[in-house]
PDB file of all heavy atoms in Angstrom:
ATOM      1  N   LEU Y 467       0.825  -1.205   0.000  1.00 91.00           N
ATOM      2  CA  LEU Y 467       0.000   0.000   0.000  1.00 91.00           C
ATOM      3  C   LEU Y 467       0.864   1.262   0.000  1.00 91.00           C
ATOM      4  O   LEU Y 467       0.560   2.233  -0.704  1.00 91.00           O
ATOM      5  CB  LEU Y 467      -0.938   0.002   1.216  1.00 91.00           C
ATOM      6  CG  LEU Y 467      -1.913   1.179   1.306  1.00 91.00           C
ATOM      7  CD1 LEU Y 467      -2.835   1.236   0.093  1.00 91.00           C
ATOM      8  CD2 LEU Y 467      -2.752   1.102   2.578  1.00 91.00           C
ATOM      9  N   ALA Y 468       1.952   1.248   0.773  1.00 92.00           N
ATOM     10  CA  ALA Y 468       2.860   2.407   0.820  1.00 92.00           C
ATOM     11  C   ALA Y 468       3.414   2.703  -0.568  1.00 92.00           C
ATOM     12  O   ALA Y 468       3.500   3.867  -0.983  1.00 92.00           O
ATOM     13  CB  ALA Y 468       3.990   2.147   1.818  1.00 92.00           C
ATOM     14  N   GLU Y 469       3.768   1.644  -1.297  1.00 94.00           N
ATOM     15  CA  GLU Y 469       4.285   1.841  -2.670  1.00 94.00           C
ATOM     16  C   GLU Y 469       3.208   2.454  -3.562  1.00 94.00           C
ATOM     17  O   GLU Y 469       3.473   3.369  -4.337  1.00 94.00           O
ATOM     18  CB  GLU Y 469       4.758   0.500  -3.245  1.00 94.00           C
ATOM     19  CG  GLU Y 469       6.083   0.024  -2.657  1.00 94.00           C
ATOM     20  CD  GLU Y 469       6.467  -1.384  -3.122  1.00 94.00           C
ATOM     21  OE1 GLU Y 469       5.724  -1.958  -3.955  1.00 94.00           O
ATOM     22  OE2 GLU Y 469       7.489  -1.903  -2.634  1.00 94.00           O
ATOM     23  N   ALA Y 470       1.989   1.931  -3.447  1.00 91.00           N
ATOM     24  CA  ALA Y 470       0.891   2.444  -4.276  1.00 91.00           C
ATOM     25  C   ALA Y 470       0.586   3.902  -3.963  1.00 91.00           C
ATOM     26  O   ALA Y 470       0.172   4.671  -4.836  1.00 91.00           O
ATOM     27  CB  ALA Y 470      -0.359   1.593  -4.075  1.00 91.00           C
ATOM     28  N   MET Y 471       0.795   4.295  -2.692  1.00 87.00           N
ATOM     29  CA  MET Y 471       0.495   5.667  -2.276  1.00 87.00           C
ATOM     30  C   MET Y 471       1.713   6.584  -2.363  1.00 87.00           C
ATOM     31  O   MET Y 471       1.625   7.760  -2.001  1.00 87.00           O
ATOM     32  CB  MET Y 471      -0.036   5.673  -0.838  1.00 87.00           C
ATOM     33  CG  MET Y 471      -1.363   4.962  -0.669  1.00 87.00           C
ATOM     34  SD  MET Y 471      -1.917   4.929   1.060  1.00 87.00           S
ATOM     35  CE  MET Y 471      -2.368   6.649   1.302  1.00 87.00           C
ATOM     36  N   HIS Y 472       2.841   6.029  -2.828  1.00 90.00           N
ATOM     37  CA  HIS Y 472       4.099   6.810  -2.906  1.00 90.00           C
ATOM     38  C   HIS Y 472       4.417   7.438  -1.549  1.00 90.00           C
ATOM     39  O   HIS Y 472       4.682   8.633  -1.437  1.00 90.00           O
ATOM     40  CB  HIS Y 472       4.016   7.885  -3.997  1.00 90.00           C
ATOM     41  CG  HIS Y 472       3.551   7.360  -5.328  1.00 90.00           C
ATOM     42  ND1 HIS Y 472       4.302   6.472  -6.075  1.00 90.00           N
ATOM     43  CD2 HIS Y 472       2.407   7.569  -6.019  1.00 90.00           C
ATOM     44  CE1 HIS Y 472       3.634   6.170  -7.196  1.00 90.00           C
ATOM     45  NE2 HIS Y 472       2.470   6.821  -7.172  1.00 90.00           N
ATOM     46  N   MET Y 473       4.367   6.591  -0.529  1.00 92.00           N
ATOM     47  CA  MET Y 473       4.555   7.057   0.843  1.00 92.00           C
ATOM     48  C   MET Y 473       5.599   6.161   1.525  1.00 92.00           C
ATOM     49  O   MET Y 473       5.637   4.958   1.266  1.00 92.00           O
ATOM     50  CB  MET Y 473       3.208   6.950   1.584  1.00 92.00           C
ATOM     51  CG  MET Y 473       3.248   7.307   3.052  1.00 92.00           C
ATOM     52  SD  MET Y 473       1.655   6.941   3.867  1.00 92.00           S
ATOM     53  CE  MET Y 473       0.649   8.310   3.290  1.00 92.00           C
ATOM     54  N   PRO Y 474       6.467   6.723   2.374  1.00 95.00           N
ATOM     55  CA  PRO Y 474       7.422   5.877   3.096  1.00 95.00           C
ATOM     56  C   PRO Y 474       6.687   4.848   3.957  1.00 95.00           C
ATOM     57  O   PRO Y 474       5.650   5.153   4.566  1.00 95.00           O
ATOM     58  CB  PRO Y 474       8.191   6.865   3.989  1.00 95.00           C
ATOM     59  CG  PRO Y 474       7.953   8.210   3.387  1.00 95.00           C
ATOM     60  CD  PRO Y 474       6.620   8.152   2.707  1.00 95.00           C
ATOM     61  N   VAL Y 475       7.226   3.626   4.009  1.00 94.00           N
ATOM     62  CA  VAL Y 475       6.580   2.545   4.756  1.00 94.00           C
ATOM     63  C   VAL Y 475       6.434   2.910   6.233  1.00 94.00           C
ATOM     64  O   VAL Y 475       5.379   2.682   6.838  1.00 94.00           O
ATOM     65  CB  VAL Y 475       7.391   1.228   4.611  1.00 94.00           C
ATOM     66  CG1 VAL Y 475       6.808   0.142   5.513  1.00 94.00           C
ATOM     67  CG2 VAL Y 475       7.374   0.765   3.164  1.00 94.00           C
ATOM     68  N   ASP Y 476       7.477   3.512   6.822  1.00 93.00           N
ATOM     69  CA  ASP Y 476       7.396   3.836   8.254  1.00 93.00           C
ATOM     70  C   ASP Y 476       6.311   4.875   8.542  1.00 93.00           C
ATOM     71  O   ASP Y 476       5.679   4.863   9.591  1.00 93.00           O
ATOM     72  CB  ASP Y 476       8.756   4.284   8.806  1.00 93.00           C
ATOM     73  CG  ASP Y 476       9.322   5.505   8.095  1.00 93.00           C
ATOM     74  OD1 ASP Y 476       8.781   5.887   7.039  1.00 93.00           O
ATOM     75  OD2 ASP Y 476      10.321   6.067   8.588  1.00 93.00           O
ATOM     76  N   ARG Y 477       6.058   5.771   7.583  1.00 93.00           N
ATOM     77  CA  ARG Y 477       4.989   6.770   7.755  1.00 93.00           C
ATOM     78  C   ARG Y 477       3.616   6.081   7.771  1.00 93.00           C
ATOM     79  O   ARG Y 477       2.753   6.394   8.584  1.00 93.00           O
ATOM     80  CB  ARG Y 477       5.063   7.812   6.632  1.00 93.00           C
ATOM     81  CG  ARG Y 477       3.892   8.793   6.581  1.00 93.00           C
ATOM     82  CD  ARG Y 477       3.954   9.839   7.687  1.00 93.00           C
ATOM     83  NE  ARG Y 477       2.786  10.699   7.674  1.00 93.00           N
ATOM     84  CZ  ARG Y 477       1.940  10.831   8.698  1.00 93.00           C
ATOM     85  NH1 ARG Y 477       2.139  10.169   9.819  1.00 93.00           N
ATOM     86  NH2 ARG Y 477       0.901  11.638   8.621  1.00 93.00           N
ATOM     87  N   LEU Y 478       3.411   5.129   6.850  1.00 92.00           N
ATOM     88  CA  LEU Y 478       2.137   4.412   6.802  1.00 92.00           C
ATOM     89  C   LEU Y 478       1.964   3.545   8.056  1.00 92.00           C
ATOM     90  O   LEU Y 478       0.867   3.470   8.621  1.00 92.00           O
ATOM     91  CB  LEU Y 478       2.044   3.543   5.543  1.00 92.00           C
ATOM     92  CG  LEU Y 478       0.705   2.835   5.326  1.00 92.00           C
ATOM     93  CD1 LEU Y 478      -0.464   3.812   5.308  1.00 92.00           C
ATOM     94  CD2 LEU Y 478       0.718   2.015   4.047  1.00 92.00           C
ATOM     95  N   GLU Y 479       3.039   2.924   8.508  1.00 92.00           N
ATOM     96  CA  GLU Y 479       2.972   2.132   9.745  1.00 92.00           C
ATOM     97  C   GLU Y 479       2.553   3.005  10.927  1.00 92.00           C
ATOM     98  O   GLU Y 479       1.770   2.584  11.782  1.00 92.00           O
ATOM     99  CB  GLU Y 479       4.333   1.483  10.031  1.00 92.00           C
ATOM    100  CG  GLU Y 479       4.602   0.253   9.173  1.00 92.00           C
ATOM    101  CD  GLU Y 479       5.936  -0.405   9.485  1.00 92.00           C
ATOM    102  OE1 GLU Y 479       6.924   0.327   9.705  1.00 92.00           O
ATOM    103  OE2 GLU Y 479       5.998  -1.635   9.483  1.00 92.00           O
ATOM    104  N   GLU Y 480       3.067   4.214  10.943  1.00 92.00           N
ATOM    105  CA  GLU Y 480       2.722   5.165  12.014  1.00 92.00           C
ATOM    106  C   GLU Y 480       1.229   5.497  11.979  1.00 92.00           C
ATOM    107  O   GLU Y 480       0.554   5.540  13.011  1.00 92.00           O
ATOM    108  CB  GLU Y 480       3.563   6.440  11.821  1.00 92.00           C
ATOM    109  CG  GLU Y 480       3.429   7.461  12.923  1.00 92.00           C
ATOM    110  CD  GLU Y 480       4.185   8.754  12.576  1.00 92.00           C
ATOM    111  OE1 GLU Y 480       5.311   8.675  12.034  1.00 92.00           O
ATOM    112  OE2 GLU Y 480       3.625   9.828  12.827  1.00 92.00           O
ATOM    113  N   ILE Y 481       0.691   5.711  10.754  1.00 88.00           N
ATOM    114  CA  ILE Y 481      -0.733   6.032  10.604  1.00 88.00           C
ATOM    115  C   ILE Y 481      -1.593   4.850  11.061  1.00 88.00           C
ATOM    116  O   ILE Y 481      -2.569   5.018  11.802  1.00 88.00           O
ATOM    117  CB  ILE Y 481      -1.059   6.395   9.130  1.00 88.00           C
ATOM    118  CG1 ILE Y 481      -0.405   7.728   8.757  1.00 88.00           C
ATOM    119  CG2 ILE Y 481      -2.570   6.463   8.907  1.00 88.00           C
ATOM    120  CD1 ILE Y 481      -0.462   8.063   7.281  1.00 88.00           C
ATOM    121  N   VAL Y 482      -1.222   3.637  10.632  1.00 89.00           N
ATOM    122  CA  VAL Y 482      -1.971   2.435  11.018  1.00 89.00           C
ATOM    123  C   VAL Y 482      -1.974   2.288  12.541  1.00 89.00           C
ATOM    124  O   VAL Y 482      -3.003   2.001  13.153  1.00 89.00           O
ATOM    125  CB  VAL Y 482      -1.375   1.174  10.344  1.00 89.00           C
ATOM    126  CG1 VAL Y 482      -1.981  -0.097  10.946  1.00 89.00           C
ATOM    127  CG2 VAL Y 482      -1.615   1.212   8.842  1.00 89.00           C
ATOM    128  N   HIS Y 483      -0.818   2.522  13.160  1.00 88.00           N
ATOM    129  CA  HIS Y 483      -0.705   2.416  14.625  1.00 88.00           C
ATOM    130  C   HIS Y 483      -1.587   3.461  15.316  1.00 88.00           C
ATOM    131  O   HIS Y 483      -2.299   3.174  16.273  1.00 88.00           O
ATOM    132  CB  HIS Y 483       0.752   2.599  15.055  1.00 88.00           C
ATOM    133  CG  HIS Y 483       0.936   2.571  16.547  1.00 88.00           C
ATOM    134  ND1 HIS Y 483       0.792   1.413  17.296  1.00 88.00           N
ATOM    135  CD2 HIS Y 483       1.204   3.571  17.441  1.00 88.00           C
ATOM    136  CE1 HIS Y 483       0.978   1.706  18.572  1.00 88.00           C
ATOM    137  NE2 HIS Y 483       1.223   2.999  18.693  1.00 88.00           N
ATOM    138  N   THR Y 484      -1.588   4.690  14.791  1.00 86.00           N
ATOM    139  CA  THR Y 484      -2.374   5.784  15.378  1.00 86.00           C
ATOM    140  C   THR Y 484      -3.871   5.495  15.306  1.00 86.00           C
ATOM    141  O   THR Y 484      -4.621   5.831  16.223  1.00 86.00           O
ATOM    142  CB  THR Y 484      -2.084   7.112  14.635  1.00 86.00           C
ATOM    143  OG1 THR Y 484      -0.687   7.354  14.670  1.00 86.00           O
ATOM    144  CG2 THR Y 484      -2.804   8.282  15.274  1.00 86.00           C
ATOM    145  N   LEU Y 485      -4.305   4.864  14.214  1.00 83.00           N
ATOM    146  CA  LEU Y 485      -5.737   4.639  14.004  1.00 83.00           C
ATOM    147  C   LEU Y 485      -6.239   3.319  14.602  1.00 83.00           C
ATOM    148  O   LEU Y 485      -7.439   3.063  14.600  1.00 83.00           O
ATOM    149  CB  LEU Y 485      -6.056   4.666  12.499  1.00 83.00           C
ATOM    150  CG  LEU Y 485      -5.839   6.008  11.793  1.00 83.00           C
ATOM    151  CD1 LEU Y 485      -6.131   5.880  10.303  1.00 83.00           C
ATOM    152  CD2 LEU Y 485      -6.700   7.112  12.395  1.00 83.00           C
ATOM    153  N   SER Y 486      -5.322   2.483  15.102  1.00 84.00           N
ATOM    154  CA  SER Y 486      -5.760   1.208  15.661  1.00 84.00           C
ATOM    155  C   SER Y 486      -6.496   1.452  16.984  1.00 84.00           C
ATOM    156  O   SER Y 486      -6.244   2.431  17.678  1.00 84.00           O
ATOM    157  CB  SER Y 486      -4.572   0.268  15.871  1.00 84.00           C
ATOM    158  OG  SER Y 486      -3.681   0.815  16.813  1.00 84.00           O
ATOM    159  N   GLU Y 487      -7.421   0.535  17.317  1.00 83.00           N
ATOM    160  CA  GLU Y 487      -8.260   0.710  18.503  1.00 83.00           C
ATOM    161  C   GLU Y 487      -8.227  -0.537  19.371  1.00 83.00           C
ATOM    162  O   GLU Y 487      -8.101  -1.659  18.860  1.00 83.00           O
ATOM    163  CB  GLU Y 487      -9.711   0.988  18.080  1.00 83.00           C
ATOM    164  CG  GLU Y 487      -9.875   2.266  17.270  1.00 83.00           C
ATOM    165  CD  GLU Y 487     -11.290   2.445  16.770  1.00 83.00           C
ATOM    166  OE1 GLU Y 487     -11.730   1.671  15.917  1.00 83.00           O
ATOM    167  OE2 GLU Y 487     -11.955   3.370  17.251  1.00 83.00           O
ATOM    168  N   PHE Y 488      -8.378  -0.364  20.702  1.00 82.00           N
ATOM    169  CA  PHE Y 488      -8.409  -1.504  21.614  1.00 82.00           C
ATOM    170  C   PHE Y 488      -9.710  -2.283  21.463  1.00 82.00           C
ATOM    171  O   PHE Y 488      -9.740  -3.500  21.556  1.00 82.00           O
ATOM    172  CB  PHE Y 488      -8.258  -1.033  23.068  1.00 82.00           C
ATOM    173  CG  PHE Y 488      -6.863  -0.615  23.413  1.00 82.00           C
ATOM    174  CD1 PHE Y 488      -6.558   0.718  23.639  1.00 82.00           C
ATOM    175  CD2 PHE Y 488      -5.842  -1.551  23.493  1.00 82.00           C
ATOM    176  CE1 PHE Y 488      -5.266   1.115  23.944  1.00 82.00           C
ATOM    177  CE2 PHE Y 488      -4.543  -1.170  23.795  1.00 82.00           C
ATOM    178  CZ  PHE Y 488      -4.254   0.173  24.022  1.00 82.00           C
ATOM    179  N   ASN Y 489     -10.817  -1.572  21.258  1.00 81.00           N
ATOM    180  CA  ASN Y 489     -12.115  -2.228  21.146  1.00 81.00           C
ATOM    181  C   ASN Y 489     -12.853  -1.648  19.946  1.00 81.00           C
ATOM    182  O   ASN Y 489     -13.771  -0.834  20.101  1.00 81.00           O
ATOM    183  CB  ASN Y 489     -12.920  -2.028  22.436  1.00 81.00           C
ATOM    184  CG  ASN Y 489     -14.100  -2.977  22.528  1.00 81.00           C
ATOM    185  OD1 ASN Y 489     -14.526  -3.526  21.521  1.00 81.00           O
ATOM    186  ND2 ASN Y 489     -14.629  -3.160  23.713  1.00 81.00           N
ATOM    187  N   PRO Y 490     -12.443  -2.050  18.739  1.00 81.00           N
ATOM    188  CA  PRO Y 490     -12.962  -1.384  17.534  1.00 81.00           C
ATOM    189  C   PRO Y 490     -14.468  -1.485  17.348  1.00 81.00           C
ATOM    190  O   PRO Y 490     -15.076  -0.594  16.777  1.00 81.00           O
ATOM    191  CB  PRO Y 490     -12.217  -2.083  16.388  1.00 81.00           C
ATOM    192  CG  PRO Y 490     -11.639  -3.327  16.973  1.00 81.00           C
ATOM    193  CD  PRO Y 490     -11.422  -3.061  18.419  1.00 81.00           C
ATOM    194  N   MET Y 491     -15.106  -2.555  17.861  1.00 82.00           N
ATOM    195  CA  MET Y 491     -16.553  -2.666  17.686  1.00 82.00           C
ATOM    196  C   MET Y 491     -17.298  -1.585  18.481  1.00 82.00           C
ATOM    197  O   MET Y 491     -18.447  -1.267  18.199  1.00 82.00           O
ATOM    198  CB  MET Y 491     -17.052  -4.057  18.112  1.00 82.00           C
ATOM    199  CG  MET Y 491     -16.598  -5.180  17.190  1.00 82.00           C
ATOM    200  SD  MET Y 491     -16.984  -4.907  15.450  1.00 82.00           S
ATOM    201  CE  MET Y 491     -18.748  -5.147  15.433  1.00 82.00           C
ATOM    202  N   LEU Y 492     -16.636  -1.026  19.499  1.00 84.00           N
ATOM    203  CA  LEU Y 492     -17.229   0.074  20.262  1.00 84.00           C
ATOM    204  C   LEU Y 492     -16.517   1.385  19.941  1.00 84.00           C
ATOM    205  O   LEU Y 492     -16.594   2.342  20.698  1.00 84.00           O
ATOM    206  CB  LEU Y 492     -17.128  -0.201  21.769  1.00 84.00           C
ATOM    207  CG  LEU Y 492     -17.911  -1.392  22.299  1.00 84.00           C
ATOM    208  CD1 LEU Y 492     -17.711  -1.523  23.802  1.00 84.00           C
ATOM    209  CD2 LEU Y 492     -19.398  -1.245  21.997  1.00 84.00           C
ATOM    210  N   GLY Y 493     -15.830   1.409  18.823  1.00 87.00           N
ATOM    211  CA  GLY Y 493     -14.969   2.548  18.536  1.00 87.00           C
ATOM    212  C   GLY Y 493     -15.424   3.403  17.361  1.00 87.00           C
ATOM    213  O   GLY Y 493     -16.595   3.765  17.243  1.00 87.00           O
ATOM    214  N   HIS Y 494     -14.492   3.659  16.472  1.00 88.00           N
ATOM    215  CA  HIS Y 494     -14.645   4.642  15.399  1.00 88.00           C
ATOM    216  C   HIS Y 494     -15.308   3.980  14.194  1.00 88.00           C
ATOM    217  O   HIS Y 494     -14.651   3.625  13.221  1.00 88.00           O
ATOM    218  CB  HIS Y 494     -13.243   5.154  15.039  1.00 88.00           C
ATOM    219  CG  HIS Y 494     -13.255   6.479  14.375  1.00 88.00           C
ATOM    220  ND1 HIS Y 494     -12.118   7.176  14.079  1.00 88.00           N
ATOM    221  CD2 HIS Y 494     -14.269   7.263  13.940  1.00 88.00           C
ATOM    222  CE1 HIS Y 494     -12.419   8.309  13.497  1.00 88.00           C
ATOM    223  NE2 HIS Y 494     -13.728   8.384  13.407  1.00 88.00           N
ATOM    224  N   ARG Y 495     -16.612   3.816  14.270  1.00 92.00           N
ATOM    225  CA  ARG Y 495     -17.339   3.128  13.198  1.00 92.00           C
ATOM    226  C   ARG Y 495     -18.723   3.737  13.043  1.00 92.00           C
ATOM    227  O   ARG Y 495     -19.134   4.596  13.823  1.00 92.00           O
ATOM    228  CB  ARG Y 495     -17.443   1.627  13.491  1.00 92.00           C
ATOM    229  CG  ARG Y 495     -18.083   1.299  14.819  1.00 92.00           C
ATOM    230  CD  ARG Y 495     -18.261  -0.195  15.038  1.00 92.00           C
ATOM    231  NE  ARG Y 495     -19.411  -0.707  14.327  1.00 92.00           N
ATOM    232  CZ  ARG Y 495     -20.366  -1.468  14.885  1.00 92.00           C
ATOM    233  NH1 ARG Y 495     -20.293  -1.794  16.161  1.00 92.00           N
ATOM    234  NH2 ARG Y 495     -21.382  -1.892  14.187  1.00 92.00           N
TER     235      ARG Y 495
END
């Protein structure tokens, strides 16, 4: 995905980590 978005892999990993949730079914949905 990082390649497709022309984005550094570590930057995308950071975004994924920031948006992850402990209880997603009660979260941002």
